[in-house]
Amino acid sequence: MTELLNLNRLVYFTTVMETGSFTAAADRLGVAKAVVSHQIGKLEEELGATLLRRTTRRVTPTEEGRLFCDRAMIILREAEAAYGEISHGAVEPSGTLRLTASLDYGTQMVAPVMAAYLRTYPHMRIEAIFDDAVSNLVDEQIDLGIRVGWLTDSSNQARRLGTIRQTVVASPAFAANLPPNVSPRQARSLAWVGNAQLRGIGQWLFSRDGETVLTELNPVVMCDKSPAALACVLAGIGLGVFPDYSVSDDIAEGRLVPVFADWSLPTGGIHAVFPPARFRPAKVRAFVDLLASAEKKRSRGVAMA
């Protein structure tokens, strides 16, 4: 009969993989180096495979070791999630939180929440990926994804945190040269700055008092990242469509002005997205609660401390 899986041995092994040495792993875990070596030796004995090659100077994984590490990390994450959910609020967040968010939302909203999170839980660590590309949470072993707009992947679990309004803006100089009473009906004849990350959006639906206009835009510049598109609009190249959170400060300080202000575009959502799992670890729940609170303040126009 196969011996019951020993999760402690997985912790010793993955810690050696992360730190690159038995000594560093022992320091992180607060045990003697001999304990780490013994436990990994027992793990290799149980598996009937060599996971690590040891020399006097370094430790390197075998091919089997690399494959086993990937699986072991998933097992440990699931175990941590189960413990965190069962113990509910009794256990504080622990370990490292891996999260991803779009570049603009990450820098403007997620980063301040990270600061508040670390003030509350100073023993935590965060690995943040701010990128407009959508990460695969399972393949990249990410605990939490913050998605802005419209969800397309139904395989993940999600919690809605807030709402975004899309805003058409331009620099004051560019707006001053627009035709009087310009409306979305003239959108195709105007210069726009496009964002390549807004994949699949070929047409935009403007609405006002029951009236709708479906139109295509005419990008004279196409940018690969949202901050780059915003920089081009600020430079006066053309009109741009952005979520309200990314342009509110520029509008308030006069660097941008709203265009088509009496028209509206479809609203989108801000979602916390989780990889499929029966349980959610305390470190994730705590961060999502803080971000949800920050979103409520933003919706009321209250600056986050």
Side-chain angles (χ1 to χ4, degrees):
M1 184 176 180
T2 303
E3 185 177 343
L4 183 65
L5 178 65
N6 188 319
L7 292 181
N8 284 332
R9 287 177 187 149
L10 298 189
V11 172
Y12 289 122
F13 172 66
T14 55
T15 304
V16 171
M17 290 287 288
E18 289 175 352
T19 60
S21 77
F22 283 81
T23 301
D27 289 343
R28 178 184 290 187
L29 296 170
V31 299
K33 177 182 174 182
V35 173
V36 177
S37 180
H38 174 73
Q39 290 295 329
I40 290 180
K42 292 291 292 182
L43 179 62
E44 291 178 323
E45 182 181 325
E46 291 168 0
L47 294 172
T50 299
L51 302 177
L52 298 170
R53 295 190 185 93
R54 306 156 177 82
T55 68
T56 55
R57 293 188 176 182
R58 62 176 184 168
V59 175
T60 57
T62 63
E63 182 178 358
E64 292 83 359
R66 286 192 294 269
L67 292 173
F68 185 73
C69 183
D70 291 339
R71 296 297 182 92
M73 291 294 292
I74 294 173
I75 291 171
L76 290 173
R77 285 159 59 86
E78 284 292 309
E80 181 185 18
Y83 186 80
E85 189 74 14
I86 291 171
S87 49
H88 215 45
V91 177
E92 283 197 341
S94 62
T96 298
L97 174 67
R98 282 177 54 81
L99 63 84
T100 181
S102 64
L103 188 54
D104 57 348
Y105 188 80
T107 54
Q108 296 188 48
M109 290 298 298
V110 178
V113 172
M114 288 166 54
Y117 183 80
L118 292 174
R119 285 195 296 270
T120 306
Y121 309 107
H123 56 282
M124 282 295 301
R125 296 293 180 266
I126 299 175
E127 294 180 11
I129 305 167
F130 291 168
D131 196 328
D132 289 338
V134 177
S135 301
N136 185 302
L137 303 186
V138 175
D139 290 350
E140 300 181 39
Q141 299 182 9
I142 295 172
D143 300 303
L144 171 64
I146 308 300
R147 303 277 168 81
V148 176
W150 297 267
L151 296 179
T152 57
D153 187 352
S154 60
S155 66
N156 292 316
Q157 301 166 345
R159 171 184 167 186
R160 189 180 180 102
L161 304 179
T163 300
I164 59 164
R165 293 179 299 278
Q166 298 181 100
T167 306
V168 178
V169 293
S171 69
F174 187 92
N177 290 319
L178 291 172
N181 301 318
V182 67
S183 82
R185 293 185 181 84
Q186 289 84 50
R188 292 187 65 180
S189 65
L190 303 174
W192 291 80
V193 175
N195 184 350
Q197 294 299 327
L198 300 177
R199 294 179 292 273
I201 302 180
Q203 295 180 316
W204 296 82
L205 181 65
F206 292 85
S207 60
R208 180 184 64 178
D209 300 329
E211 179 185 7
T212 61
V213 174
L214 183 63
T215 183
E216 295 180 358
L217 308 184
N218 178 32
V220 295
V221 170
M222 182 64 72
C223 297
D224 67 337
K225 294 287 189 297
S226 298
L230 181 57
C232 289
V233 172
L234 286 165
I237 292 175
L239 300 165
V241 180
F242 299 95
D244 51 357
Y245 63 80
S246 69
V247 294
S248 57
D249 288 346
D250 289 317
I251 292 174
E253 296 173 17
R255 292 185 293 271
L256 292 174
V257 295
V259 181
F260 311 151
D262 51 347
W263 293 79
S264 62
L265 286 163
T267 58
I270 297 170
H271 292 86
V273 180
F274 318 97
R278 293 182 61 193
F279 306 109
R280 202 166 298 155
K283 64 182 179 181
V284 174
R285 295 199 313 271
F287 190 91
V288 171
D289 288 345
L290 280 176
L291 185 56
S293 177
E295 270 300 318
K296 287 181 181 178
K297 290 180 180 180
R298 184 180 72 85
S299 68
R300 299 195 303 265
V302 178
M304 183 176 176

